Amino acid sequence: MNAGRRGGLLRQRDFRLLWAGETTSRFGSNITGVAMPLVAVVTLDASTFWVSALAAAAWLPWLFLGLPAGAWVDRLPRRPLMVACNVGSLLLLLSVPAAAWLDVLTMMQLLAVALLTGVANVFFSIAYRVYVPFVVPREHLTEANAKLQGSESAAQLAGLGGGGALAGAFGAVAGLVANAATFLVATLCLLGIRAEEPVPERPERPQALRKDVTEGLRHTVRDPYLRVLTTYGTVTNLLLTGYQAILTVFLVRELHVGEAMVGWLLAGSSVGGLLGAVVATPMARRFGTARGMLLCKFATAPFGLLIPLAEPGWRVVLLPVGGAMLALGVVSANVIQGAFRQQYCPPQLLGRVTASVSVANFGAIPIGSLLGGVLGGVLGLRPALWLLTAGLAVSSALLLAGPLRARRDLPTEPPTDPPTEPAPPSVPRPARPSAESTEPGDAPDPGDAPEPGDPPEAGDRRALRYAVPEQG
């Protein structure tokens, strides 16, 4: 494999195309991350609640579509599905500037476009995570995730800054045209990949979609590693998106920042994401994947408290500094968790497990966005930011509730047996009747004998490695 030579995975043509297409698409999506709320705030004069509702609409499909989408992805070829999602998103985004130029744009159309592109994102995100192991050799998955997360952070930095610059120069709707163009580039890159994707396995007797969904959900809930990481991701996404949903309004109406500068201040957080992608692999190598992830999380989460300290003038810089430290912790953990899930989950369940984790993590995003809008309207923008960032500062303690605290590394092989819950404490049995009082033909109590093949502790089965989401 060329991956082992100088240049690593960048010498592999298929990975370069996958990487370039996803980076371009992320660049456009981050332009839209600035442009869409600015269209609502500046063009349509939307309230804080409607801006947060717009952010929620893009993630709402995860709540009602994420689980069945995982089962469908396990049944369908992934690359054609990803191409269809990109083309659909391209057409939807072009409808907004078209309506704006015809002077017929409404808040309802913005919400509809956000919701439908969110549907496409559900299928694309799950298919993409399942598709990566078909393009990248197993031993290079951590490197691949680090490069993908790093370029995603770079795209966020350039996209958010570029979105603000485009909005300042040409108007907010211009950013949506740029995003549509990036979906076209991403589609062409996907079509250029030569790697043959195996045909998804089909059981001899296909089972109902509900049973497929339940199987993936059960595996995620019962596995001690997936369970604690999913719970933590859900809580942190709720808090992260809660403060992010009102950040644009906070910058414009409290800190009196201009449209062009909004994008650059938001982009400042992406510097931390770039650093997180760079340090994730050395941290995992030096401290272990489990301990390295815990260290990154505990060391960075309290810096979020700098965000509500921002004021007009030089203190506005506290906002991107706090966001950058949060992004460092999120991205470094996403690199580690992404490779962990791709290696650890049984291949035939990867789509459904990915969907189960994503539904919990991404399903918290619309709730968090609405929560941020409600808190911002009831308490005020700055008190809401204090409450949400304080929650982030202590949320890392959730990671200590599972087996991570006792391990140096996360496991890198799928479990040989289905994950099981810990055995309940034994309850003393009543005294058995004497032999004289036993009726003829009574069978021995099956609870007296040990179960054959009882699995050992999950942490002892395997020796040894994201998101978010992610972000997630």
Side-chain angles (χ1 to χ4, degrees):
M1 286 287 183
N2 289 338
R5 303 175 189 170
R6 183 184 177 87
L9 284 172
L10 295 184
R11 287 181 172 269
Q12 292 190 12
R13 177 183 180 276
D14 285 347
F15 177 76
R16 287 200 310 270
L17 285 170
L18 182 70
W19 186 46
E22 179 65 3
T23 301
T24 305
S25 177
R26 290 288 182 178
F27 171 71
S29 296
N30 283 290
I31 290 178
T32 298
V34 175
M36 193 76 89
L38 282 176
V39 169
V41 172
V42 178
T43 305
L44 300 178
D45 195 28
S47 67
T48 301
F49 174 79
W50 282 112
V51 175
S52 63
L54 184 64
W59 297 96
L60 189 61
W62 282 102
L63 285 175
F64 62 83
L65 199 57
L67 290 174
W72 283 321
V73 166
D74 276 339
R75 297 179 177 188
L76 298 171
R78 285 81 183 197
R79 185 167 63 164
L81 178 61
M82 293 159 67
V83 169
C85 291
N86 278 344
V87 172
S89 297
L90 183 156
L91 297 175
L92 286 165
L93 287 169
L94 285 178
S95 73
V96 175
W101 292 330
L102 293 172
D103 201 24
V104 294
L105 181 63
T106 64
M107 194 66 204
M108 288 300 104
Q109 181 179 347
L110 279 186
L111 288 169
V113 169
L115 184 69
L116 293 174
T117 53
V119 170
N121 182 54
V122 168
F123 283 93
F124 184 92
S125 296
I126 297 172
Y128 177 76
R129 287 171 174 81
V130 177
Y131 187 61
V132 169
F134 295 124
V135 178
V136 178
R138 177 184 175 84
E139 63 271 19
H140 298 296
L141 282 173
T142 301
E143 180 190 352
N145 280 281
K147 283 183 165 59
L148 290 166
Q149 287 286 336
S151 62
E152 180 178 334
S153 296
Q156 188 175 23
L157 175 63
L160 292 175
L166 281 171
F170 304 107
V173 294
L176 302 181
V177 178
N179 191 8
T182 63
F183 276 114
L184 177 60
V185 173
T187 299
L188 295 175
C189 288
L190 279 173
L191 292 174
I193 293 175
R194 295 172 182 167
E196 292 292 332
E197 179 187 355
V199 178
E201 295 182 9
R202 294 180 179 271
E204 294 182 3
R205 299 177 60 187
Q207 58 187 11
L209 183 68
R210 184 174 64 179
K211 190 172 181 180
D212 275 349
V213 169
T214 303
E215 189 177 3
L217 191 60
R218 183 184 298 118
H219 184 90
T220 305
V221 171
R222 290 183 176 180
D223 186 277
Y225 297 95
L226 295 173
R227 183 172 62 242
V228 71
L229 291 172
T230 302
T231 301
Y232 170 76
T234 301
V235 172
T236 52
N237 273 356
L238 184 78
L239 299 168
L240 280 168
T241 53
Y243 94 78
Q244 289 169 352
I246 59 177
L247 211 51
T248 299
V249 185
F250 179 67
L251 283 166
V252 172
R253 294 179 181 168
E254 292 273 336
L255 304 186
H256 311 295
V257 174
E259 290 180 29
M261 187 56 66
V262 167
W264 289 113
L265 287 172
L266 294 177
S269 300
S270 304
V271 175
L274 280 170
L275 184 59
V278 171
V279 305
T281 301
M283 287 283 288
R285 189 180 300 119
R286 172 66 178 84
F287 299 102
T289 50
R291 291 180 186 172
M293 183 175 64
L294 289 174
L295 179 60
C296 286
K297 287 295 188 180
F298 276 94
T300 58
F303 282 90
L305 294 170
L306 292 175
I307 293 170
L309 288 172
E311 296 281 357
W314 72 267
R315 286 179 62 182
V316 75
V317 75
L318 294 176
L319 187 145
V321 170
M325 293 303 295
L326 288 176
L328 190 156
V330 168
V331 171
S332 59
N334 283 351
V335 170
I336 295 172
Q337 290 182 56
F340 161 65
R341 282 199 300 268
Q342 289 161 353
Q343 296 172 2
Y344 178 70
C345 298
Q348 72 277 11
L349 283 173
L350 183 55
R352 283 166 282 172
V353 170
T354 299
S356 299
V357 174
S358 298
V359 165
N361 289 177
F362 297 154
I365 290 178
I367 299 173
S369 297
L370 292 175
L371 176 64
V374 170
L375 290 175
V378 173
L379 302 177
L381 294 170
R382 196 180 298 275
L385 288 174
W386 274 115
L387 184 62
L388 294 165
T389 54
L392 282 170
V394 300
S395 63
S396 300
L398 291 170
L399 291 170
L400 302 179
L404 293 175
R405 67 181 185 275
R407 294 188 64 103
R408 182 183 188 276
D409 290 289
L410 293 165
T412 57
E413 296 291 338
T416 55
D417 298 303
T420 58
E421 297 289 345
S426 58
V427 178
R429 289 183 172 275
R432 295 181 60 81
S434 63
E436 289 79 13
S437 64
T438 303
E439 293 292 330
D442 277 353
D445 190 334
D448 291 342
E451 291 283 334
D454 278 343
E457 289 290 332
D460 298 332
R461 275 202 298 262
R462 301 166 289 276
L464 193 17
R465 186 194 141 178
Y466 200 125
V468 92
E470 49 146 338
Q471 112 116 22

